[in-house]
Amino acid sequence: MSWIYEPWPWYVAGPMITGVMLLLIYAGKSFGVSANLRSMCSIAGAGRWVDFFNFDWKKQSWNLLFIVGGAIGGFIAVNYLTPHESVAISESTQAALQELGVENPGSTFLPDKIFGAEALSSFEGWIFLIVGGLLIGFGTRYAGGCTSGHAISGLSNLQLPSLIAVVGFFIGGLIMTHLILPFIL
Amino acid sequence: MKRVAYLAVGVIFGIVMSKAEIVSWYRIYEMFRFESFHMYGVIGSAVILGMIAVQLIKKKEGKTIKGEQINFSDKNKSIPRYLIGGTLFGLGWAMTGACPGPMFVLLGQGVASIGIVIISAVFGTFLYGAFRNKLPH
């Protein structure tokens, strides 16, 4: 059972994600997490101003339960199944990050420089997280799905729109990683 | 399916996202630098198995747990919305290292600052809703 405490390789994680998608399909639902962001807008009362949020979010309440489960899973994994929270990223990635001033890259799941207490005590740190979140929320609904809805569910169903969306994900990701992060990190 | 079942499937999802380090900002950064096979293996194997499974379900006319026929709906044809929307999402994904699933998993891990990302992602979705009539689709 010691393998459970080690980082899980891709060939375990990938098939398990397919399994999650199939369980939801078997339940008559579909795997797409970003729909929850729209539900949350509706629950917060956004339908009063914008008609897009006047929909029966209760039909999506199963999906909200799914992400609550996801949060519980994260809690279990990090507290009971992960004795050493370090990420074995490649040496070249580590070197690139050190050059950008990220200390001990890979020693924890997340860089303190973006998510740590110091980032939260600076104006720039807040702006970074806020702009990132806005892009995710706006972009994912504009594209009609995120990594789960398009990259996994959509590509599994051979949907050309999903392939276009995934190409977009990579255009945005490559621009951010190579052209923008070096200046703002 | 009972409510607790969705919760349970979510728990599996959260554990996999955590144990395979998919929630790690570093893994996303590394992926966009093409310096590791890990994330490509995760997404690639999930998609290839998913394609096989979906084809089988269609061919065998698979049923849901309630005995209803499983239907896969086709996504509307368009280029601008998927390309522009996808690119905007990609920018945010590489910035925060989180997509809409992992951000909730990270919250469960006790990462308080991801709460800022979640709240602004909800607001970003609101902004899309407010301006969607003015955007090319």
Side-chain angles (χ1 to χ4, degrees), chain A residues 40-99:
Chain A
M40 288 173 180
C41 285
S42 296
I43 292 168
R48 267 176 287 169
W49 298 290
V50 182
D51 203 42
F52 179 64
F53 300 106
N54 281 320
F55 74 107
D56 188 7
W57 63 265
K58 284 184 180 149
K59 279 193 178 145
Q60 280 280 320
S61 57
W62 66 269
N63 210 342
L64 293 166
L65 281 168
F66 175 79
I67 52 162
V68 171
I72 296 169
F75 177 83
I76 293 171
V78 83
N79 286 295
Y80 302 108
L81 305 175
T82 312
H84 309 290
E85 192 187 297
S86 64
V87 183
I89 48 172
S90 74
E91 280 177 22
S92 45
T93 306
Q94 289 181 37
L97 283 167
Q98 273 160 348
E99 224 165 275

Side-chain angles (χ1 to χ4, degrees), chain A residues 81 90 93 115 142 157 178, chain B residues 19 30 35 58 81 113 136:
Chain A
L81 305 175
S90 74
T93 306
F115 295 96
Y142 193 179
N157 190 26
H178 296 271
Chain B
K19 287 302 305 175
E30 183 186 50
E35 286 171 335
K58 284 181 175 172
R81 79 168 290 189
S113 46

Side-chain angles (χ1 to χ4, degrees), chain A residues 167-177, chain B residues 32 86-92 94:
Chain A
V167 168
F169 298 170
F170 266 82
I171 294 172
L174 292 173
I175 290 173
M176 179 55 65
T177 300
Chain B
F32 284 126
T87 302
L88 292 173
F89 167 66
L91 288 166

Side-chain angles (χ1 to χ4, degrees), chain A:
Chain A
M1 283 294 281
S2 67
W3 61 270
I4 210 164
Y5 299 106
E6 303 291 322
W8 294 359
W10 62 265
Y11 50 82
V12 171
M16 284 188 81
I17 294 170
T18 312
V20 165
M21 178 185 78
L22 290 175
L23 283 170
L24 293 177
I25 290 174
Y26 185 54
K29 312 295 182 196
S30 60
F31 181 40
V33 180
S34 67
N36 288 309
L37 299 173
R38 186 183 177 201
S39 297
M40 288 173 180
C41 285
S42 296
I43 292 168
R48 267 176 287 169
W49 298 290
V50 182
D51 203 42
F52 179 64
F53 300 106
N54 281 320
F55 74 107
D56 188 7
W57 63 265
K58 284 184 180 149
K59 279 193 178 145
Q60 280 280 320
S61 57
W62 66 269
N63 210 342
L64 293 166
L65 281 168
F66 175 79
I67 52 162
V68 171
I72 296 169
F75 177 83
I76 293 171
V78 83
N79 286 295
Y80 302 108
L81 305 175
T82 312
H84 309 290
E85 192 187 297
S86 64
V87 183
I89 48 172
S90 74
E91 280 177 22
S92 45
T93 306
Q94 289 181 37
L97 283 167
Q98 273 160 348
E99 224 165 275
L100 293 179
V102 176
E103 287 165 19
N104 305 316
S107 59
T108 50
F109 275 168
L110 304 173
D112 275 345
K113 196 168 183 183
I114 299 174
F115 295 96
E118 209 176 313
L120 287 185
S121 62
S122 77
F123 179 69
E124 292 87 351
W126 278 75
I127 295 295
F128 189 98
L129 294 171
I130 289 171
V131 170
L134 286 174
L135 286 165
I136 293 171
F138 188 95
T140 194
R141 202 71 272 121
Y142 193 179
C146 60
T147 332
S148 53
H150 276 309
I152 308 291
S153 297
L155 291 185
S156 288
N157 190 26
L158 309 174
Q159 294 294 302
L160 182 63
S162 293
L163 184 62
I164 300 170
V166 172
V167 168
F169 298 170
F170 266 82
I171 294 172
L174 292 173
I175 290 173
M176 179 55 65
T177 300
H178 296 271
L179 303 178
I180 304 178
L181 279 181
F183 297 99
I184 61 174
L185 207 60

